[in-house]
Amino acid sequence: MKHVIIGAGPAGVVAAETLRKLEPESDITLIGDEPEPPYSRMAIPYYLENKIDAAGTHLRKSADYFEQNNIEVLQSRIDAINTDKKILTPDTGEQINFDKLLIASGSSPVKPPIEGMDLPGVHNCWTLADANQIIDRAKPDAKVVLMGAGFIGCIILESLVSRGVKLTVAEMENRMVPRMMNEQSGTLLKQWCENKGVTVLTSARVSGIEKGSQHPLSVVMSVGGALPADLVICATGVRANIKLCEESDIETKQGILVNEFLQTTHPDIFAAGDVAQGRDFSTGQYSVQAIQPTAVEHARIAATNMTERREHLHRGSINMNVLDTLGLISSSFGDWEGLKGDDSCELGDNDRFRYLNLQFQDDILIGANTLGLTQHIGVLRGLIQSKTRLGKWKNKLANDPTLIMEAYLATVQGQA
Amino acid sequence: MQRSLQIDPGKCTGCLQCEMACSYENEGVFNPARSRIKVFTFHQEGRFVPYTCTQCDEAWCMQACPVDAIVLNAATGSKDILEDVCVGCKVCTIACPFGTVNYNSDTGKVIKCDLCGGDPKCAEACPTQAITYINADETGFDRMRAWAGKSDNQPRVQ
Ligand SMILES: Cc1cc2nc3c(=O)[nH]c(=O)nc-3n(C[C@H](O)[C@H](O)[C@H](O)COP(=O)(O)OP(=O)(O)OC[C@H]3O[C@@H](n4cnc5c(N)ncnc54)[C@H](O)[C@@H]3O)c2cc1C
Ligand code: SF4
């Protein structure tokens, strides 16, 4: 059996390892187009902070790891897939044929359609190459404008501040992390950042970037005025890398369409990670989540289903995130916005920047938002995923949402 | 034969010796807030429930870690954090559905039970044998873990 994987990010690497464990004899080829050894994008913020060197971002630490596991790693780009003949033509080297293919090509940042995004000094923060560009320009006291206070924007915010830059954040929506946190917690997060000396502009759209006079760049705001900048970082969203499927019979929408086996519309081709439009545990709908835990979950299931013996069902991944913004930790799980007409409870302490919101369907926890909480938060996933009936604990939680751990022990494990 | 922690909440009196021993062994201070084992109190029922990582087979934390900072200890079966590799991203703290991996803001890293390398101090300190360290197949952990199977998304290929 010959397995080929396109994309050497976390999804590709975990899939390769899973295949190796299940099929010691198969050929496994992992193809990635970036020059570095397989690395984790998630580690980039810590690289920017000088907490780790480039090797600290590598997904597997020993230099001969892939060789040891008999996984062939190729650096090249695949622009099209011949699904009839099951052949890939890399941009370098010879054609590669496959029995089973996994597409784990990830996602890429989108740039808003405004003038000036190609000027020198305007960067994404997506690859190690981007990170090196940012390190060059994000010197102490440099003026930096961060476009987008979404999930990725908020994660790199801290790294930029630690580099000593003068940071302004511009977010189109009315609060920070609008797709992860509700209005109350997103607003508290903004206040926290402002207290720490970061300028946060919300409901603020950048209408274009121009060459500046005193500083190389000038970021023009739609409400009027312009911000001088030495560096502009764009973190305004991501899009699945589906271009390589364009001329094939592999169907795509937001991402590559997959079924509950992570199989595409071609039976021998699977997709996993940021590129896959997989099942969401909460909604039952198929969507692109673009988060690390989902990438790894997809990869293991897809790889298992690529082998001859097994069929493993993907019941859906929980959309979840944890963020550390200048020391304030926030998290979101599942259906944090809740369902119309269903119950929720919340507890907030604005002065101490603490907030907790739980969403229920009947007496089952379906989603949560937290701010300033670091202990035992995983249990929120446990409660959501196990769909445990909370019974009388639902009322107890409504009175005091911090009792999540007690509720879990009492209901899931029957300990009280 | 690998051993694991067996917890019998019925025997726990809530004296917190386990938390003290754990924090002292691992953090060098007698401070229950720094303990990897936690005793939860159910006032109405008058019940105390010590709780920590079961070193589960799924190892959700280990799988989710983006930089390979959580490794299997082959001798004890525990999943250990490599402090010098951990970047403190906290993904493992939301990935663990048992809530037993926690962030320590003082170090910027995460902490979890590592069975003290095979000599768990909590079990040693417990005066009532509510916590014991015994052969893995005798423990009740299979029952504790069983619920995870209900929505288990993970093929077991370890
Ligand atoms: C700065 C930053 C911080 C993040 N923080 C978090 C976080 O805290 N929590 C979280 O859950 N997620 C986070 N993420 C998101 C997380 O990194 C991704 O969800 C994860 O990397 C997805 O893994 P993947 O393997 O699907 O894709 P990727 O990691 O994108 O890997 C895909 C690989 O395939 C390559 N490739 C693409 N097309 C081709 C082709 N045609 N031919 C060959 N190779 C190709 C790409 O270059 C890339 O190397 C963060 C991302 C960034 C950028
Ligand atoms: S916090 Fe550390 S151990 Fe946990 S996932 Fe992140 S890097 Fe890995």
Side-chain angles (χ1 to χ4, degrees):
Chain A
M1 191 73 121
K2 173 144 188 179
H3 297 294
V4 176
I5 299 166
I6 304 174
V13 166
V14 168
E17 290 172 339
T18 308
L19 285 166
R20 179 48 76 231
K21 277 180 197 147
L22 295 174
E23 290 191 351
E25 306 300 329
S26 283
D27 283 340
I28 301 170
T29 305
L30 180 62
I31 309 170
D33 62 355
E34 293 188 71
E36 299 85 4
Y39 71 91
S40 177
R41 304 205 184 295
M42 264 197 72
I44 288 174
Y46 310 97
Y47 176 61
L48 288 177
E49 270 172 48
N50 289 327
K51 223 173 163 180
I52 50 171
D53 58 9
T57 68
H58 296 172
L59 280 157
R60 298 296 174 257
K61 301 293 190 252
S62 68
D64 61 351
Y65 176 84
F66 294 99
E67 205 182 315
Q68 286 286 327
N69 285 280
N70 196 15
I71 295 166
E72 186 186 15
V73 182
L74 292 181
Q75 192 206 326
S76 49
R77 198 181 161 74
I78 307 292
D79 289 314
I81 301 164
N82 183 331
T83 56
D84 288 338
K85 297 197 178 126
K86 300 214 266 183
I87 288 176
L88 305 174
T89 311
D91 62 349
T92 55
E94 288 170 22
Q95 284 194 338
I96 300 166
N97 65 310
F98 61 85
D99 294 314
K100 295 277 162 84
L101 176 71
L102 178 71
I103 307 173
S105 52
S107 57
S108 299
V110 288
K111 285 190 176 179
I114 54 171
E115 292 285 312
M117 292 305 295
D118 298 324
L119 286 174
V122 181
H123 293 284
N124 290 123
C125 182
W126 195 250
T127 60
L128 273 178
D130 292 338
N132 288 325
Q133 298 277 356
I134 291 171
I135 287 170
D136 271 353
R137 291 183 190 251
K139 303 277 188 235
D141 292 327
K143 285 188 182 300
V144 178
V145 175
L146 174 62
M147 292 169 63
F151 169 50
I152 305 280
C154 279
I155 288 185
I156 56 183
L157 193 153
E158 166 140 355
S159 321
L160 293 168
V161 169
S162 79
R163 298 190 65 83
V165 306
K166 296 226 159 20
L167 183 64
T168 303
V169 184
E171 165 61 45
M172 260 166 58
E173 305 275 335
N174 66 350
R175 61 181 188 270
M176 293 180 84
V177 271
R179 271 170 295 283
M180 173 183 151
M181 303 295 284
N182 66 12
E183 188 146 357
Q184 184 149 355
S185 41
T187 306
L188 270 175
L189 203 57
K190 172 178 172 180
Q191 217 179 320
W192 173 272
C193 291
E194 287 175 335
N195 291 354
K196 302 259 168 182
V198 177
T199 310
V200 183
L201 310 170
T202 45
S203 306
R205 205 167 57 82
V206 173
S207 56
I209 302 171
E210 295 169 357
K211 284 199 173 137
S213 44
Q214 259 132 0
H215 293 266
L217 298 164
S218 170
V219 181
V220 185
M221 305 304 296
S222 62
V223 287
L227 308 165
D230 300 297
L231 168 67
V232 176
I233 298 172
C234 175
T236 52
V238 299
R239 184 185 297 139
N241 292 329
I242 52 177
K243 199 161 184 295
L244 73 172
C245 299
E246 246 170 27
E247 276 160 31
S248 72
D249 53 353
I250 302 166
E251 274 183 50
T252 60
K253 274 189 186 153
Q254 277 170 276
I256 297 176
L257 294 183
V258 290
N259 63 14
E260 64 273 41
F261 299 103
L262 277 316
Q263 194 174 33
T264 69
T265 41
H266 188 294
D268 293 324
I269 302 178
F270 295 73
D274 283 12
V275 75
Q277 189 169 341
R279 193 177 157 93
D280 182 294
F281 180 86
S282 304
T283 62
Q285 307 285 313
Y286 286 75
S287 59
V288 172
Q289 287 182 345
I291 53 169
Q292 164 87 14
T294 299
V296 173
E297 192 164 82
H298 279 180
R300 289 171 64 96
I301 296 172
T304 308
N305 291 330
M306 285 165 77
T307 64
E308 269 163 2
R309 295 165 289 152
R310 308 188 190 221
E311 283 203 337
H312 196 104
L313 206 62
H314 179 231
R315 295 192 176 85
S317 300
I318 296 182
N319 206 351
M320 55 186 186
N321 272 314
V322 58
L323 252 179
D324 188 338
T325 316
L326 305 172
L328 181 60
I329 293 155
S330 52
S331 73
S332 77
F333 292 86
D335 201 345
W336 55 269
E337 287 177 294
L339 301 170
K340 258 211 172 79
D342 269 305
D343 281 356
S344 66
C345 61
E346 65 175 0
L347 182 74
D349 182 344
N350 290 0
D351 297 338
R352 291 171 62 222
F353 291 94
R354 280 175 163 259
Y355 180 76
L356 180 58
N357 182 302
L358 304 177
Q359 297 288 339
F360 303 97
Q361 178 174 24
D362 206 358
D363 64 344
I364 295 169
L365 186 72
I366 55 168
N369 260 170
T370 76
L371 205 63
L373 208 71
T374 55
Q375 303 302 295
H376 312 296
I377 54 175
V379 88
L380 291 166
R381 176 194 188 169
L383 282 169
I384 294 170
Q385 179 171 277
S386 60
K387 293 190 174 167
T388 302
R389 291 214 164 268
L390 290 161
K392 66 175 181 186
W393 279 92
K394 184 183 166 188
N395 269 339
K396 294 193 187 188
L397 282 174
N399 290 331
D400 182 359
T402 63
L403 293 175
I404 46 172
M405 197 59 227
E406 285 81 358
Y408 168 84
L409 283 171
T411 56
V412 179
Q413 301 202 347
Q415 297 271 21
Chain B
M1 167 54 75
Q2 270 180 2
R3 298 199 285 168
S4 52
L5 287 173
Q6 157 99 316
I7 294 175
D8 181 352
K11 292 184 182 158
C12 176
T13 61
C15 73
L16 305 192
Q17 288 300 314
C18 56
E19 294 191 0
M20 299 290 240
C22 177
S23 61
Y24 187 68
E25 170 72 11
N26 293 297
E27 308 289 328
V29 286
F30 288 110
N31 180 357
R34 300 278 194 83
S35 173
R36 294 149 196 219
I37 188 163
K38 236 24 264 138
V39 178
F40 290 90
T41 309
F42 294 84
H43 294 289
Q44 271 177 4
E45 295 79 4
R47 192 171 161 87
F48 302 96
V49 181
Y51 184 71
T52 191
C53 172
T54 65
Q55 317 297 344
C56 70
D57 290 336
E58 291 84 0
W60 312 74
C61 60
M62 188 163 97
Q63 285 180 40
C65 177
V67 293
D68 218 9
I70 306 182
V71 295
L72 175 70
N73 181 325
T76 63
S78 64
K79 318 297 183 292
D80 298 352
I81 312 279
L82 302 175
E83 271 237 14
D84 52 339
V85 181
C86 171
V87 293
C89 74
K90 311 169 199 67
V91 159
C92 53
T93 71
I94 59 169
C96 169
F98 305 99
T100 53
V101 189
N102 290 318
Y103 180 63
N104 178 352
S105 55
D106 292 343
T107 58
K109 316 262 173 181
V110 293
I111 51 177
K112 74 176 282 297
C113 170
D114 61 0
L115 297 173
C116 299
D119 181 18
K121 299 296 174 202
C122 55
E124 200 178 290
C126 178
T128 63
Q129 294 207 306
I131 308 168
T132 46
Y133 190 51
I134 61 171
N135 286 344
D137 55 355
E138 292 169 20
T139 70
F141 281 131
D142 289 340
R143 180 178 51 83
M144 277 173 66
R145 290 169 183 162
W147 72 272
K150 280 198 255 175
S151 62
D152 183 2
N153 258 330
Q154 318 228 344
R156 297 178 188 222
V157 291
Q158 271 170 7

